[in-house]
Amino acid sequence: MAGGFSPQLLEEIRARVDIVDLVGQFVNLKRAGENWKGLCPFHAEKTPSFMVHPKKGIFHCFGCGVGGDAFGFLMRQDRLQFPEAVRVLAERAGVALPTERRTEGDGQREALFKTMAQASEFYQDALWNRPEGEGARRYLDSRGIAPEMARRFVLGYAPEGWDHLLGFMKGRGVTEEQLVQVGLVLPRQTGSGFYDRFRGRLLFPIKDGQGRVVAFGGRAMGTEDPKYLNSPETPLYVKGQTLYAFDLAKPQIREKNRALVVEGYVDCLMAHQHGFTETVAALGTAFTASQLGLLRRYCDEVITFFDADAAGKKATQRVEELLEPGTQGLAWAVNRTGTFGDGSALRLKVALLPSGHDPDSFLRKEGAQAFTQRIGEARSLLAYAVETAIGEENTTAPRGKATAFARVALILAKVTDSQEATELARDAALKLGVDPTQLWIEAQRLQGALRKPAPATAPAPAGVNLPSAERDLVSLLVQNPDVRAALLPVLVEEDLAHPALRAILAALKTVTAESPEALMPHLPGDTERGLLAALLVEERAWPDTTPLIAEYLKRFEMRRRARQIRQVSQAIAQAQASGDPALPQLQAQLSDLQRQAEELRELAARPN
């Protein structure tokens, strides 16, 4: 997998990259001794089992088994090919890469990122440096958006006209096919050719977690329809998996342990302008479970904002969007020890704004202090939804009471926070005048009906179902340099049966590396990297290795003799069938090998 990069270059990049800092951009890490721990970004879990080991420069999840180094993490997190991950980390570490190292096709995705970056530069130039951007600049001023904030969010302007961007990008050598791929141009309805998607609009670049432009949101500055025109989904951009301003907000989300979620681009800018830099926008009214999962890696609390008049309806809708049936049983059921089964559920809250206000208008009218007060008064989103479900029904009538009971039970059936679920059930039962146990039983029944079937095969952690003797041997090799020096010259791949262990052995034998951690880029796949990470983090206390080495040397010598005996026996059978005159020499060689093998067995049987 080293992709044509020298081991020395890869090791230099790996050594310069702070893996805690890198992973910490995506995972809310907390110190655990010499290492760092957090919720795994690659599978759903409630108890942190994802570890980062700064001294070794690796990560490993004890839950799903994934593991690797900085290159492997970035490949998984951002879905990059190995050469792309190397280039990203080399730039981050300030390491120059050989300019001649490029293979056809490995830069296609990188070329699309470059196309989006060039388009963003074009739009920024049109906003700030061209006469046609004057109207957009006046619009920003009318909305109270400070120039420095607009520049921080790299806002731009798409000039009126059909092919301004198209002509500019062609002059930069960008093909029409690439522009179509990233959604910047559209085919003409009549005739041939293409035209600019965005025309006469203020543009909000949408970036990924690495700060790379992946899409644009275009706002009309007059009465044009639609009010907002957004990029389509592309190879770089999936709407429901991206949050606007997430790249800028991540540090503050982690520091404050909360995220503020608004709906619009301007809402988000205005929040940042007033000091609420932990704010992101959901890129539309729908807030997806994927976006929530992204925030969950960085914080324990998410606060969203509703207009007071529409709060009940929106709260219920948001609960439906975010609470999906799971594959497990009732997640908040009390276990046999009397404690709850989860301890790190994300808290979802709703902050109410006065009727007719959104965060943008409220901040401009009332200011940051009033906004802070609204945040402090935020209530549980689930509690608000339950309250709305009860309040919308006539609970004095049997039918209304039954309907409210069913609606509340359906909400509870999707709750994963044990503490909150218990409180909600108790409060709702009190308002409905029913036994809390009834709600509990009905929610459990509904969850069973809603439950999604579990995947047929769940990913097994690396290291499961490995031959224990082989695993111990490779673990000893990666953790002890003296053992490597003594055993690698005599070991062959045939000494190991498990394919992943064989791959690690092959890398140990063929790659010149200062440490086993540096082998990560040279392993063929995720399974092998995860297994190597698992072996490296074990930190087993080995006894005196001298007798172990001697024992392994005798064992491998016996295996080598056995292989030779099999090979010579096969040669004898072929010689007998063909009348080969070399048969006597082969028979003599076989007798000699059998004698040597017997001597080795006797030697191995003697007490040390």
Side-chain angles (χ1 to χ4, degrees):
M1 193 193 75
F5 298 104
S6 71
Q8 295 78 14
L9 177 66
L10 295 177
E11 179 58 19
E12 182 182 0
I13 296 170
R14 212 177 66 85
R16 289 198 191 184
V17 171
D18 184 338
I19 193 168
V20 174
D21 184 51
L22 174 68
V23 175
Q25 293 182 1
F26 306 93
V27 181
N28 188 18
L29 295 173
K30 296 179 181 178
R31 185 178 287 279
E34 292 184 349
N35 304 315
W36 295 77
K37 179 185 287 189
L39 293 171
C40 180
F42 306 122
H43 84 287
E45 64 176 5
K46 296 176 182 177
T47 302
S49 60
F50 182 86
M51 300 293 294
V52 179
H53 299 256
K55 286 187 177 179
K56 292 184 171 70
I58 62 173
F59 69 94
H60 177 67
C61 177
F62 291 92
C64 66
V66 302
D69 58 4
F71 301 114
F73 180 83
L74 203 58
M75 287 169 66
R76 271 186 169 272
Q77 177 64 38
D78 282 0
R79 291 175 287 185
L80 302 180
Q81 296 298 314
F82 180 68
E84 293 176 293
V86 171
R87 280 191 279 274
V88 170
L89 291 180
E91 183 177 351
R92 180 189 183 100
V95 176
L97 294 179
T99 55
E100 69 275 7
R101 196 262 162 235
R102 278 198 183 258
T103 60
E104 184 178 355
D106 72 11
Q108 288 183 358
R109 186 176 172 88
E110 189 175 312
L112 296 183
F113 279 121
K114 185 177 180 181
T115 297
M116 294 300 283
Q118 289 176 325
S120 181
E121 291 171 6
F122 170 82
Y123 293 136
Q124 288 176 70
D125 181 65
L127 174 61
W128 300 110
N129 302 322
R130 296 189 194 177
E132 54 264 41
E134 176 61 29
R137 294 193 292 272
R138 286 199 306 269
Y139 176 82
L140 289 174
D141 185 60
S142 71
R143 295 297 300 266
I145 298 174
E148 59 269 21
M149 189 57 57
R151 291 182 185 276
R152 174 171 165 76
F153 280 76
V154 293
L155 301 194
Y157 173 67
E160 292 281 5
W162 295 99
D163 58 2
H164 288 294
L165 177 71
L166 182 61
F168 172 81
M169 298 299 275
K170 281 185 175 180
R172 295 291 185 93
V174 179
T175 66
E176 291 176 340
E177 181 185 357
Q178 288 173 319
L179 293 171
V180 170
Q181 277 188 284
V182 293
L184 290 175
V185 300
L186 295 165
R188 293 186 179 275
Q189 299 296 317
T190 58
S192 60
F194 299 86
Y195 64 95
D196 294 351
R197 177 184 293 272
F198 300 106
R199 304 177 307 281
R201 289 177 178 268
L202 181 67
L203 291 188
F204 298 82
I206 299 165
K207 298 182 178 182
D208 65 7
Q210 294 290 311
R212 299 171 298 190
V213 178
V214 295
F216 292 96
R219 194 198 193 285
M221 294 177 292
T223 58
E224 304 96 318
D225 284 327
K227 181 178 178 181
Y228 282 100
L229 178 65
N230 297 317
S231 290
E233 293 198 350
T234 71
L236 303 181
Y237 173 59
V238 180
K239 181 178 178 181
Q241 297 177 8
T242 310
L243 288 163
Y244 180 66
F246 184 60
D247 61 308
L248 298 175
K250 274 190 301 184
Q252 288 301 311
I253 290 174
R254 187 186 299 112
E255 182 177 328
K256 295 185 178 181
N257 198 26
R258 78 175 184 198
L260 307 181
V261 179
V262 297
E263 291 184 359
Y265 303 113
V266 177
D267 291 333
C268 188
L269 262 76
M270 197 56 63
H272 278 252
Q273 187 166 306
H274 282 78
F276 300 93
T277 50
E278 71 274 32
T279 305
V280 295
L283 296 170
T285 55
F287 184 39
T288 69
S290 294
Q291 291 170 327
L292 187 67
L294 185 62
L295 292 175
R296 190 174 188 270
R297 301 176 193 171
Y298 296 86
C299 63
D300 296 328
E301 182 176 85
V302 171
I303 300 175
T304 188
F305 297 84
F306 295 151
D307 174 318
D309 286 348
K313 181 179 180 181
K314 283 193 172 183
T316 305
Q317 178 185 351
R318 186 82 15 123
V319 166
E320 288 298 319
E321 290 167 359
L322 299 180
L323 297 182
E324 293 295 331
T327 60
Q328 306 300 319
L330 200 58
W332 41 271
V334 177
N335 64 29
R336 292 180 181 178
T337 66
T339 59
F340 293 109
D342 62 276
S344 59
L346 188 67
R347 297 185 301 275
L348 296 172
K349 292 185 175 181
V350 55
L352 299 183
L353 300 178
S355 177
H357 275 290
D358 55 25
D360 167 37
S361 62
F362 184 83
L363 281 163
R364 283 191 286 127
K365 182 179 180 181
E366 303 293 342
Q369 186 173 351
F371 198 66
T372 299
Q373 183 177 344
R374 295 284 174 165
I375 292 171
E377 295 169 352
R379 300 175 54 198
S380 162
L381 176 65
L382 288 161
Y384 206 87
V386 168
E387 202 171 279
T388 300
I390 295 173
E392 288 180 346
E393 304 296 337
N394 179 14
T395 55
T396 60
R399 183 171 181 176
K401 184 175 181 177
T403 302
F405 180 92
R407 289 178 64 182
V408 171
L410 184 60
I411 293 172
L412 293 176
K414 297 180 179 181
V415 177
T416 58
D417 185 332
S418 51
Q419 188 73 36
E420 187 164 26
T422 305
E423 293 172 1
L424 286 171
R426 183 178 60 246
D427 294 345
L430 185 63
K431 291 174 182 175
L432 288 170
V434 299
D435 186 342
T437 306
Q438 291 180 276
L439 267 177
W440 185 285
I441 293 171
E442 179 62 11
Q444 198 166 24
R445 185 190 70 79
L446 285 171
Q447 191 177 64
L450 293 169
R451 191 180 308 161
K452 293 179 180 178
T457 55
V464 173
N465 300 325
L466 292 176
S468 58
E470 293 187 6
R471 191 185 196 283
D472 287 347
L473 170 60
V474 178
S475 179
L476 186 60
L477 287 169
V478 299
Q479 293 189 28
N480 194 298
D482 293 336
V483 174
R484 288 198 294 275
L487 297 186
L488 284 180
V490 300
L491 271 168
V492 294
E493 289 186 32
E494 288 78 5
D495 287 319
L496 301 176
H498 194 278
L501 292 173
R502 276 190 174 190
I504 294 173
L505 175 61
L508 284 167
K509 288 176 69 69
T510 59
V511 178
T512 303
E514 295 182 6
S515 64
E517 296 87 35
L519 298 176
M520 290 290 184
H522 304 276
L523 294 174
D526 289 339
T527 300
E528 292 79 9
R529 289 190 287 275
L531 178 54
L532 177 57
L535 296 175
L536 287 168
V537 301
E538 281 182 342
E539 298 181 353
R540 293 168 63 175
W542 296 99
D544 180 11
T545 57
T546 302
L548 274 175
I549 291 172
E551 179 62 30
Y552 274 120
L553 286 173
K554 285 190 286 186
R555 187 184 306 174
F556 296 141
E557 181 62 21
M558 290 174 64
R559 289 182 182 177
R560 189 173 69 85
R561 297 293 182 187
R563 282 195 296 270
Q564 289 176 330
I565 288 172
R566 284 197 301 272
Q567 292 168 356
V568 174
S569 297
Q570 291 171 357
I572 288 173
Q574 292 173 355
Q576 288 174 333
S578 62
D580 192 329
L583 179 61
Q585 291 93 327
L586 290 171
Q587 290 173 328
Q589 184 181 357
L590 177 62
S591 297
D592 190 43
L593 287 171
Q594 289 172 332
R595 178 184 55 77
Q596 293 175 16
E598 183 60 31
E599 290 174 355
L600 280 172
R601 279 192 291 272
E602 291 176 359
L603 182 63
R606 294 174 189 170
N608 293 328

